[in-house]
Amino acid sequence: MGGKVKREKWSENFSEWYNELIETAGIQDKRYPVKGMNIWLPYGLKIMRNIERFIHSEMERTGHDEVLFPALIPETEFQKEAEHIKGFEGEVYWVTHAGLDPLDVRLILRPTSETAMYSMFSLWIRSHADLPFKVYQIVNTYRYETKHTRPLIRVREISRFFEAHTAHDSYEDAERQIREDLEIFDRLAKFLAIPYIVSKRPDWDKFPGAYYSLGAEVMMPDGRTLQIGTMHNYRQNFAKAYNIQYETEEGEHEYVHQTTFGMSERLLAAVMAIHGDDNGLVLPPTIAPIQVVIVPIPKKDAEVDVFAYAREIAEELRDAGIRVHVDERDIRPGRKYYDWELKGVPVRIEVGPKDVEGGKAVIARRDTLTKEVVERAEIVEAVRRTFDEIMENLYNRAREFLESHIKRVDTIEEAKGVFENRRGIVEIPWCGEEECGLKMEEELDAKMLGIPYPEETAKAPEGKKCPVCGREAKFIARFARTY
């Protein structure tokens, strides 16, 4: 039984679909008087907190400790790493006065926290016994974004910025950390039912001050990509700028190797975009604030109490650890269905007088809009099974979408065709030279995401030529229109 999932507006007019949903589903209010700084509404914040709860548990599992640094960074600290300043000075907010007096040392609002943390790292890290050193925080960061702002995606206050910072005694141990970050990210992506790709960024697009950067991307409904995670290996670059040294077992002094791992509320944007449809949000049961909504359907003159029956079911589901809500509002059932579909509640249970008499209930799935009748006695088991099926369906549907939007071509012309036709990610042979890479970006009006990671998967097949210079191609390079 059931309806059909419609994704017309979702795919044809994604931008409008997304902006409306941010508002109608109660995620954020963007009417705050500072452009690009939005207010988290209760429902949106609950979903985000559920995502973060998983991140905290992964940090705990992998031995990262939570810290909390101030939001203001003195200009003197900010200026210690040249590449980093070059990358960020155009988009930082300055604090120049205290009351009416100009400050002796101007302050910036953190755009990210390297320059806040690393002078402290040099005080905290003393010996090889202190390593590896692993901390993280989830904070608000500020970047003066001049491009068109979009809630959760491109903002001037990133209000749920996750950043993990680590220090190690060797490049090898830092590399091991990057592999651990990728494993954490993979577990999180599975928890959100989100398929993704990882690319090693080209040198001209790596994090300011990094030795190399990795980025994880998802495919959005309009064929553009959204970066939702980054991992950076800094080598000893920041350690030298901030004098972060440790004493080795032999009594020598060495600079530490550092990494960072970053994510933000873009994770929620990805969930909204990837799983949603024309009826609204479709939330994975893992993060849905309400996993099951029960809608009693009273009939006049019925002998039985549908409300009491609904409350009993709710009680049983609650005892089983399921987040459940009974909607007893005095409005038509159809209106209730509409509201909860918009909010993405994974499972709806409908109970009318006939269900009460027959000891049954109707389970409706948000992802497929299908319904089935189940025995009252098997309700907990049926709901749990439905959650598993929803997670699997959401992941598979999204994976098919991602895979069908990655196309491998040999020439610039073919690549242009892909971008005109159905967008997505284009993979092209590349010699590895910056000049050719930038030329391709310009010709395609797209961004090079980088080369596939791990690098074993990035080698160009034998005999492939770089379409710009005609030399032998070393790598496969990925291009996309990005958010």
Side-chain angles (χ1 to χ4, degrees):
M1 308 193 294
K4 183 156 169 32
V5 174
K6 268 183 55 186
R7 297 184 109 179
E8 276 159 38
K9 184 163 187 182
W10 173 88
S11 80
E12 302 303 315
N13 204 338
F14 171 67
S15 205
E16 193 184 320
W17 175 91
Y18 178 80
N19 285 333
E20 273 175 21
L21 194 55
I22 285 281
E23 207 168 301
T24 56
I27 305 298
Q28 285 195 331
D29 192 324
K30 45 184 188 287
R31 294 173 297 181
Y32 190 70
V34 182
K35 177 175 163 337
M37 298 189 184
N38 304 312
I39 302 147
W40 281 95
L41 297 172
Y43 193 66
L45 192 57
K46 280 184 180 128
I47 305 169
M48 194 63 214
R49 292 274 192 239
N50 286 341
I51 296 173
E52 287 170 7
R53 194 169 294 132
F54 185 83
I55 294 172
H56 285 298
S57 74
E58 282 297 290
M59 288 289 99
E60 183 111 340
R61 180 181 71 83
T62 52
H64 289 75
D65 285 318
E66 189 178 11
V67 292
L68 195 52
F69 272 74
L72 294 172
I73 303 171
E75 184 172 16
T76 45
E77 291 303 319
F78 176 57
Q79 286 184 331
K80 285 183 178 170
E81 209 290 317
E83 288 297 313
H84 193 74
I85 309 167
K86 261 213 313 270
F88 282 107
E89 67 186 343
E91 50 183 70
V92 297
Y93 285 94
W94 289 97
V95 176
T96 58
H97 286 69
L100 301 174
D101 306 324
L103 292 171
D104 296 340
V105 178
R106 298 191 303 166
L107 306 168
I108 63 162
L109 276 171
R110 60 180 162 218
T112 170
S113 302
E114 283 73 9
T115 63
M117 290 186 172
Y118 295 167
S119 56
M120 299 308 298
F121 279 25
S122 72
L123 302 175
W124 293 343
I125 295 168
R126 281 283 170 252
S127 113
H128 61 90
D130 298 327
L131 301 173
F133 180 82
K134 298 158 74 162
V135 295
Y136 77 100
Q137 61 179 12
I138 300 178
V139 294
N140 41 10
T141 60
Y142 299 85
R143 297 177 188 182
Y144 180 65
E145 193 49 76
T146 50
K147 286 192 195 152
H148 187 65
T149 60
R150 191 186 299 266
L152 308 179
I153 290 177
R154 190 165 283 289
V155 289
R156 291 177 174 178
E157 179 186 53
I158 305 168
S159 60
R160 309 305 304 154
F161 186 77
F162 161 87
E163 46 182 335
H165 294 255
T166 68
H168 306 268
D169 61 7
S170 65
Y171 179 71
E172 290 67 41
D173 200 53
E175 285 289 273
R176 195 190 52 69
Q177 182 58 50
I178 298 283
R179 289 195 295 276
E180 180 179 86
D181 295 342
L182 287 162
E183 182 217 354
I184 292 168
F185 187 80
D186 190 64
R187 289 168 62 108
L188 175 62
K190 294 236 174 7
F191 180 75
L192 302 175
I194 285 180
Y196 62 94
I197 56 163
V198 176
S199 310
K200 184 176 184 183
R201 295 279 182 254
D203 274 353
W204 63 89
D205 192 36
K206 62 186 185 183
F207 181 84
Y211 171 58
Y212 73 78
S213 292
L214 304 179
E217 253 83 28
V218 294
M219 181 60 62
M220 300 291 265
D222 57 358
R224 288 159 73 183
T225 60
L226 178 71
Q227 169 183 294
I228 58 167
T230 51
M231 301 87 189
H232 313 287
N233 190 326
Y234 293 160
R235 271 199 147 152
Q236 294 171 307
N237 197 5
F238 282 96
K240 287 174 178 162
Y242 288 85
N243 195 28
I244 312 170
Q245 297 189 47
Y246 71 99
E247 197 173 319
T248 65
E249 291 184 47
E250 292 73 48
E252 309 282 316
H253 285 270
E254 282 284 346
Y255 289 106
V256 298
H257 286 258
Q258 286 171 277
T259 79
T260 57
F261 172 20
M263 298 183 286
S264 73
E265 57 263 42
R266 278 185 167 199
L267 290 165
L268 177 52
V271 167
M272 289 177 66
I274 289 168
H275 300 318
D277 62 25
D278 288 0
N279 292 13
L281 285 183
V282 178
L283 293 175
T286 46
I287 58 167
I290 297 171
Q291 294 168 310
V292 177
V293 64
I294 305 177
V295 179
I297 306 165
K299 291 258 191 317
K300 277 207 178 72
D301 313 323
E303 299 287 296
V304 288
D305 185 348
V306 288
F307 292 101
Y309 190 73
R311 287 181 210 125
E312 278 168 28
I313 293 176
E315 200 53 43
E316 192 179 335
L317 291 173
R318 215 168 271 128
D319 289 345
I322 291 162
R323 300 188 285 276
V324 60
H325 172 71
V326 181
D327 187 348
E328 298 193 23
R329 291 179 297 169
D330 190 13
I331 54 175
R332 289 197 328 280
R335 181 59 212 289
K336 296 181 183 184
Y337 300 169
Y338 174 88
D339 285 352
W340 298 113
E341 281 176 9
L342 177 63
K343 286 195 172 296
V345 174
V347 170
R348 180 175 77 236
I349 296 176
E350 303 164 11
V351 294
K354 283 207 170 72
D355 299 303
V356 181
E357 285 160 7
K360 299 190 187 317
V362 175
I363 287 190
R365 271 173 67 164
R366 174 63 186 91
D367 60 328
T368 55
L369 300 175
T370 52
K371 297 183 181 189
E372 63 166 330
V373 179
V374 299
E375 293 293 331
R376 165 72 184 84
E378 287 159 18
I379 199 105
V380 171
E381 200 183 317
V383 166
R384 285 210 175 116
R385 186 182 63 240
T386 307
F387 287 169
D388 291 343
E389 286 167 8
I390 292 172
M391 288 302 287
E392 194 176 341
N393 176 48
L394 289 180
Y395 183 78
N396 289 337
R397 178 172 73 173
R399 196 190 60 214
E400 278 164 30
F401 187 82
L402 171 64
E403 286 170 1
S404 69
H405 282 76
I406 302 176
K407 193 113 171 76
R408 195 165 278 201
V409 301
D410 288 332
T411 67
I412 301 282
E413 286 317 305
E414 287 175 281
K416 280 184 179 161
V418 174
F419 282 131
E420 273 157 32
N421 180 5
R422 52 188 321 217
R423 301 185 297 266
I425 295 165
V426 178
E427 300 188 329
I428 317 182
W430 175 47
C431 62
E433 293 299 321
E434 181 162 330
E435 199 182 327
C436 293
L438 291 171
K439 185 95 174 100
M440 285 197 264
E441 283 195 332
E442 191 185 327
E443 294 236 349
L444 294 173
D445 186 26
K447 207 172 136 183
M448 188 194 285
L449 300 177
I451 61 174
Y453 187 87
E455 281 179 66
E456 304 80 80
T457 62
K459 289 188 180 62
E462 284 290 304
K464 292 285 182 193
K465 300 276 181 271
C466 173
V468 180
C469 66
R471 284 189 299 245
E472 178 130 1
K474 288 187 186 152
F475 305 108
I476 291 294
R478 289 173 172 155
F479 291 82
R481 308 263 161 91
T482 63
Y483 272 99

